Amino acid sequence: MKTNSLVWTVAVGCMAAVMTQAAFAANVKVTPLGGQDGEFCPQDRALIFEDPNGARILFDPGRTVAGANDPRLGKIDIILVSHMHGDHAGNAHNKEPNSGSCASPDTSVSAMPNSNAVNIAVAKKAKIVTGSEMPAFFASKLKANGGNPADSILARFGGSVKVGGVTIATVTALHSNGLDPDYIGGEMGKNMKDAGIAGYVGEATGYVLTFSNGLVVYLSGDTGITSEQDRVVRGHYKAKLAVMNIGDNFTTGPTEAAYVINDLVQPASVIASHANEAATKGGKVQPGTKTEAFVRAAKVPVHVPLSGKTMEFDNTGKCVAGC
Ligand SMILES: [Zn+2]
């Protein structure tokens, strides 16, 4: 009897060890939903993160997700919006994947006054998790479009929420976050537009996501260089994978973005984003591009987000498939 229970205990112990290992061996899948299959194009921001537990997160749908009916979306549980600018929330979008060309995408379908993010959230019954003052805006838009306002969830600086098994926190982004008056409409929207004034929805944000396999990912959003990329994103959260905006003019350029990665965040690898250029041809980075400059300047592996190509990352931030 004693021997039997010992054998049983050892067997259960081994099973638990194997299961723990399996949980940590599970990878996070990242799939870019860009303007052209297999390329990295000027408007590309949207990424789908899939947790090993199956939860699917859409980050910054922008203009390259062809509305809620884009067949590439599949199930979406959570939508993240770094800030309200049209190329991130999606004031307009392409008619279907691959509309137009890489250099000149066709984003002629208006998503105003809702945004691509809200239209997708309503259709998919997804939760929108934002920081700053954006949750009230999204709750109002969800309500106005037949969605559930309670699906707009707050994660303000320093706090976090766990949704679908993924811990979501927001961090500082040094940018702006004016709300286009076309989202407001009516007399007030018109007056604001005439005066050149945007609506106030708080600061722009970045995100730190902690997936169920332990992988910590920093999503820079549009930002300049901030000391918090050192003290908070690396120092506290210890992000191992970064999605870094490199497009210059509106956000860090390739040189500044490389400094952020090499000296401040220091992740194991980085996905370039927001290049605002036709960075690839046939899936190959083109000479003279900002993306090429970033790849050269960064001291860790740079993964170029080719639309539709799924990359898999382990809990250390290393790409283990699809890169
Ligand atoms: Zn912006």
Side-chain angles (χ1 to χ4, degrees), residues 83 85 87-88 175-176 222 250 274:
H83 66 295
H85 291 163
D87 55 325
H88 294 261
H175 194 59
S176 63
D222 282 1
F250 304 98
H274 199 288

Side-chain angles (χ1 to χ4, degrees), residues 224-244:
I225 300 168
T226 78
S227 58
E228 299 189 14
Q229 288 162 328
D230 173 31
R231 299 304 295 270
V232 179
V233 177
R234 184 191 56 76
H236 177 68
Y237 292 110
K238 300 173 175 58
K240 295 290 183 262
L241 170 66
V243 174
M244 192 68 214

Side-chain angles (χ1 to χ4, degrees), residues 25-93:
N27 302 321
V28 172
K29 293 179 183 163
V30 184
T31 307
L33 299 189
Q36 299 285 323
D37 288 349
E39 306 288 4
F40 181 32
C41 299
Q43 292 287 317
D44 293 8
R45 282 100 175 98
L47 300 172
I48 290 179
F49 291 86
E50 186 174 317
D51 190 275
N53 73 16
R56 283 165 64 84
I57 301 175
L58 173 63
F59 170 55
D60 277 355
R63 298 173 178 141
T64 62
V65 176
N69 294 325
D70 189 321
R72 301 173 300 174
L73 282 173
K75 174 183 82 114
I76 297 294
D77 303 293
I78 301 160
I79 297 174
L80 307 177
V81 182
S82 61
H83 66 295
M84 291 309 307
H85 291 163
D87 55 325
H88 294 261
N91 60 345
H93 59 77

